[in-house]
Amino acid sequence: MRIDRSHRSWAIAALAVFVVALAAYVPYAFGSRPAGGTAPGLVYGVAGYGMMVFAALLGVRKKVPVWRLGRAQTWMRGHIWFGLLTLPMILFHAGFTFGGPLTSLLMVMLFLVFLSGLTGAAIQHFLPGMMKSLVPLETIYEQIPSVREQLRGEADDLGRVLFAQPGDILAPVTVQVLGGVDWDLSGPKGVTMVEMEAEDRTYAGNVYRNTILPFLRNPDDGASVLADPDSAGKFFEALRRKLPAVAHGVIVDLESICEEERQLTRQRRLYLWMYGWLLVHVPLSIALIVLGGVHAVVALRY
Amino acid sequence: MPGRIRATKTLAQRIDREYFKRLFPIPLWRRVLSVAAVCSGLAWLGFRAVAHDHTPYSTGPLTASHAIFAGNCTACHAQGLAIGKKITDGACLSCHDGPVHSAAQTVTPACIGCHVEHRGAGQLLAAESGTCTACHSNLRTKTGKPRVAAGIESFAHGHPEFAALRDGNSDPTAIKFNHKTHVQGDLKVKCIDCHRPAGVDAPWNFGQAPPLSPPVAAAMPHGRTSPRALMQPVNYYEQCSVCHQLNFDDRISDAAPHDKPEVVHAFVTRKLREYIAGHPAELGKAGAPASPEGWVRFRASEDEKQLWTVTCNRCHDLQLAADGALPGVPETKINQRWFAKAEFDHSAHQELQCVSCHPNAPSSTKASDVLLPGIKVCAECHVAGSKGASADCSTCHLYHDWSKTRLADGRFTIRQLM
């Protein structure tokens, strides 16, 4: 989520709460030794824990998107700004000390949740825009394996158009993916291939099997000549020079498929950055709330 | 010419409509790690609970003296309250006594109001100044009129000047002493030649071992003593005797004892009697009586006149009797304790030059001069909130009146503690 002008009211509210909390803390801290068990300490603790729970409710809200509980964006803004307040509130609660084993663990977890949240907010602010420019062929992340499978099938068909011998049977799907090229469909079995010299056809087959196919099977392999856009461009340019003009349309399509593969690889990497921090943020947040609840019960009892 | 077209229809046809039914790596691991994190935390607490170890819930390390209770929370946290198990004064008082601060106080704070546990070693006795100024910043007493300053907000704000330096007070001592004569000029006696904290056992440069036990240091306020808190009281034998010998007659090498006039008189008479017994030729010479007893009385009168009017008079204003009776010696009133309501430890300040706190001492000519440093001198280092010396009330003051302490009757067996 971009942090823009729409966050202003939330930011002002959070700042106001922080200023009030700080203004109350200063005389409290100078007048006595702050501790979680004092009346002001308990107020800060309850406020901090309440903000944690509120921030966590964002996850619950996402589980029930059809419930009329306010817009998800509103919940996200509250999550960000009240989540930011949890750290100062808990530090005021604890008097800037870590206490015993459980409270020390909770404080470390709080810092990690806070830092991972800040990191996530920054990533979510900048990366979506970068994604748009770096990955114009972006697809749904979860569809990447499926799309890749289809891209490989598409490339196989195109490749066979290049190097299949007269009489080879091509899959019917070929007809669907060859749009825009004036293919001769009058051959045996209703399909045919680009007419090239046998030598060129063999060369094209070798290039496809040795370079293009391995890259399409493992597009994350950075060692492939096709992993880099510049070297891939030179590679396909050389291929076009080698093969007759009738094959250039297929080569352009293969080049396009490779480019899409590279973008999907880039999308996966960016996706890991965009959502990888959640592997720290979410588990620690949940554990923090559960163990924080234990701490609250035990501390109030003792 | 490129043949691939990314039309909406072709793109839509690529979508796997069942994809949302499967968990992909990041959501999957998010769930796995969430469960693992919660379970790990609860398992840790669970294992500790099974082992009857409650230390995870401790809010911090105990002081060294309470460390034995680290795994036994209920030793203090079990007072049979209906809700919760907070510490009550009874838990503390079952092992410790906490004598009242003042009979006139209107509020008595709970033990844990001042002594906050779980703050690590050495923190329990050092109560926060705020616990003192909560009352002393606007002091109310049962009698209605506080006997101490009523508006002390901190050491820097509201704390009065030390009592000895107020209202032109003077040193009450009846001894005549000139610091300037001793520390300046040819003598150049150092401060530590005469003044040392109690408990320091080293030879005196201008003294000798006293024939009697040294005086006991005055009791600390509230009855609790600190062996090094006070300077050793000045006495003749340790500080003065090497230079100020109490010789009384050229014929006798022994000096008179530093004692009451009766003792001195008996000593002088005995020494003269011993002398004349060994030197009978001196009887009747130069107008002296011819009989031994007469000679002794004559010489004793002359020697004691010298003692009472010159030798002893250097330091003491003797009350001479006109009829020849022995003189009276006024009480010396050497003040051993200048802070009636506070503690001061000279040994904790030994890195300082004496004159940095007592600048008037080298130029003092009268024993009535109060050479105690004022509060401003202390406040140069003892600044609240600084990294310097502490300015907390408990640095100098005790809360409990330990003269009213009672013996505690322990309630634990060894097995209960271990």
Side-chain angles (χ1 to χ4, degrees):
Chain A
M1 161 176 256
R2 284 190 64 79
I3 298 172
D4 50 23
R5 283 176 171 274
S6 64
H7 285 249
R8 179 180 285 181
S9 56
W10 283 98
I12 291 172
L15 184 64
V17 172
F18 173 73
V19 168
V20 170
L22 181 65
Y25 182 78
V26 171
Y28 159 59
F30 278 96
S32 61
R33 181 178 286 182
T38 62
L42 282 174
V43 170
Y44 286 122
V46 170
Y49 190 70
M51 288 171 185
M52 283 184 212
V53 173
F54 172 77
L57 287 176
L58 173 68
V60 180
R61 173 69 184 83
K62 285 183 174 177
K63 295 288 179 195
V64 286
V66 294
W67 288 15
R68 306 183 75 135
L69 295 171
R71 296 170 60 204
Q73 284 193 340
T74 307
W75 280 91
M76 178 56 87
R77 291 189 186 102
H79 176 91
I80 291 172
W81 292 103
F82 280 112
L84 272 176
L85 281 175
T86 56
L87 183 65
M89 287 295 173
I90 296 302
L91 287 176
F92 293 161
H93 163 67
F96 290 87
T97 59
F98 274 39
L102 178 58
T103 49
S104 297
L105 175 68
L106 290 172
M107 201 63 97
V108 170
M109 288 165 66
L110 176 62
F111 271 100
L112 291 175
V113 168
F114 187 82
L115 291 176
S116 61
L118 278 184
T119 307
I123 287 173
Q124 293 287 348
H125 179 76
F126 292 109
L127 265 192
M130 292 171 63
M131 180 80 90
K132 207 170 183 179
S133 60
L134 292 174
V135 191
L137 301 179
E138 177 189 1
T139 187
I140 300 168
Y141 175 79
E142 287 82 357
Q143 293 290 335
I144 288 178
S146 166
V147 169
R148 283 195 150 153
E149 200 174 321
Q150 294 177 53
L151 286 176
R152 276 198 298 276
E154 191 179 342
D156 277 347
D157 290 338
L158 287 170
R160 273 178 288 180
V161 167
L162 279 182
F163 57 77
Q165 299 298 321
D168 282 356
I169 299 170
L170 299 182
V173 70
T174 306
V175 178
Q176 298 170 17
V177 300
L178 300 185
V181 179
D182 185 19
W183 301 110
D184 179 5
L185 302 178
S186 61
K189 309 281 184 185
V191 292
T192 185
M193 69 296 294
V194 177
E195 289 192 11
M196 292 189 296
E197 297 295 330
E199 184 185 345
D200 291 341
R201 198 177 303 282
T202 304
Y203 176 78
N206 288 339
V207 166
Y208 183 80
R209 278 188 290 270
N210 296 333
T211 306
I212 298 175
L213 189 59
F215 172 68
L216 296 177
R217 281 178 178 161
N218 184 17
D220 296 332
D221 177 18
S224 170
V225 69
L226 300 177
D228 177 68
D230 292 337
S231 59
K234 289 174 185 168
F235 171 82
F236 282 108
E237 184 56 38
L239 189 59
R240 274 192 290 274
R241 279 200 298 271
K242 179 76 178 172
L243 296 179
V246 68
H248 288 184
V250 176
I251 294 170
V252 168
D253 282 352
L254 284 173
E255 188 176 8
S256 165
I257 289 171
C258 290
E259 170 61 19
E260 191 166 352
E261 285 283 10
R262 279 194 298 275
Q263 290 199 21
L264 292 178
T265 299
R266 205 174 299 142
Q267 182 185 348
R268 281 189 58 190
R269 286 182 188 147
L270 289 173
Y271 183 89
L272 284 178
W273 277 103
M274 277 192 14
Y275 298 102
W277 60 275
L278 286 170
L279 294 177
V280 176
H281 190 74
V282 173
L284 287 183
S285 297
I286 295 171
L288 182 63
I289 286 173
V290 172
L291 296 181
V294 174
H295 160 69
V297 170
V298 173
L300 286 173
R301 181 162 171 73
Y302 285 94
Chain B
M1 192 180 164
R4 298 184 71 235
I5 296 175
R6 287 174 57 82
T8 307
K9 185 177 179 182
T10 54
L11 290 176
Q13 286 170 340
R14 300 197 310 193
I15 299 298
D16 171 13
R17 293 179 188 82
E18 303 294 314
Y19 79 92
F20 58 86
K21 293 180 180 174
R22 296 192 298 275
L23 270 181
F24 284 82
I26 287 185
L28 175 67
W29 278 105
R30 210 167 59 202
R31 290 187 187 188
V32 169
L33 290 174
S34 296
V35 172
V38 172
C39 290
S40 300
L42 293 178
W44 172 54
L45 295 177
F47 283 129
R48 294 290 187 130
V50 169
H52 299 288
D53 178 5
H54 305 298
T55 49
Y57 306 110
S58 169
T59 55
L62 292 165
T63 50
S65 53
H66 287 162
I68 196 168
F69 302 123
N72 185 9
C73 305
T74 53
C76 301
H77 287 273
Q79 293 301 311
L81 299 179
I83 301 172
K85 293 184 176 179
K86 296 288 182 190
I87 301 273
T88 64
D89 285 356
C92 306
L93 295 174
S94 62
C95 297
H96 306 274
D97 189 23
V100 68
H101 173 56
S102 166
Q105 69 191 67
T106 56
V107 177
T108 301
C111 299
I112 59 171
C114 302
H115 302 291
V116 183
E117 247 301 4
H118 296 285
R119 295 275 179 162
Q123 299 292 316
L124 196 56
L125 289 178
E128 291 277 324
S129 292
T131 61
C132 304
T133 57
C135 293
H136 282 269
S137 61
N138 185 21
L139 191 60
R140 299 276 184 272
T141 62
K142 289 177 180 173
T143 57
K145 189 175 182 184
R147 289 188 302 147
V148 296
I152 303 174
E153 294 176 355
S154 66
F155 184 53
H157 297 99
H159 194 294
E161 179 57 280
F162 303 139
L165 296 168
R166 278 183 245 151
D167 303 328
N169 283 349
S170 60
D171 190 331
T173 184
I175 294 289
K176 290 180 279 187
F177 186 78
N178 187 326
H179 272 94
K180 184 177 180 181
T181 303
H182 286 79
V183 301
Q184 296 183 13
D186 296 334
L187 288 176
K188 296 208 181 330
V189 176
K190 294 177 182 173
C191 302
I192 58 169
D193 288 333
C194 299
H195 300 289
R196 294 174 188 172
V200 174
D201 190 15
W204 293 93
N205 294 337
F206 296 97
Q208 59 194 25
L212 302 169
S213 299
V216 176
M220 299 296 289
H222 299 163
R224 185 164 271 193
T225 56
S226 171
R228 295 172 70 88
L230 297 173
M231 299 302 278
Q232 294 187 31
V234 172
N235 70 82
Y236 166 79
Y237 284 102
E238 290 177 336
Q239 277 90 351
C240 315
S241 61
V242 165
C243 299
H244 296 279
Q245 290 282 314
L246 302 180
N247 295 99
F248 56 92
D249 195 304
D250 294 339
R251 300 169 185 82
I252 297 168
S253 60
D254 290 342
H258 186 261
D259 211 321
K260 294 174 184 173
E262 300 83 51
V263 177
V264 173
H265 173 70
F267 180 87
V268 168
T269 305
R270 179 166 57 84
K271 284 295 176 184
L272 288 172
R273 195 169 284 133
E274 289 171 3
Y275 177 82
I276 200 62
H279 302 81
E282 292 203 21
L283 291 171
K285 275 189 179 176
S291 70
E293 278 307 307
W295 187 88
V296 168
R297 277 198 301 276
F298 173 73
R299 286 304 326 154
S301 174
E302 291 295 313
D303 291 346
E304 287 177 359
K305 183 180 178 184
Q306 175 72 16
L307 276 173
W308 308 146
T309 59
V310 178
T311 308
C312 299
N313 194 52
R314 284 187 201 280
C315 302
H316 300 277
D317 273 326
L318 297 189
Q319 296 154 350
L320 298 173
D323 57 358
L326 293 174
V329 182
E331 187 184 352
T332 56
K333 297 179 184 172
I334 294 177
N335 200 357
Q336 295 178 18
R337 163 151 217 98
W338 287 99
F339 291 125
K341 297 181 183 303
E343 276 192 315
F344 180 82
D345 189 347
H346 271 96
S347 61
H349 297 78
Q350 61 186 1
E351 69 275 18
L352 293 170
Q353 293 180 338
C354 302
V355 292
S356 64
C357 296
H358 301 277
N360 297 328
S363 59
S364 167
T365 57
K366 296 179 293 183
S368 59
D369 293 340
V370 179
L371 303 177
L372 191 74
I375 192 171
K376 286 183 180 174
V377 174
C378 302
E380 287 183 40
C381 299
H382 293 272
V383 181
S386 73
K387 291 181 180 176
S390 166
D392 286 340
C393 304
S394 61
T395 304
C396 302
H397 297 283
L398 288 173
Y399 173 84
H400 296 289
D401 182 354
W402 290 104
S403 65
K404 296 181 174 59
T405 190
R406 294 166 300 181
L407 290 175
D409 189 10
R411 64 187 173 101
F412 292 105
T413 64
I414 293 175
R415 190 171 296 280
Q416 284 175 315
L417 293 179
M418 302 307 289

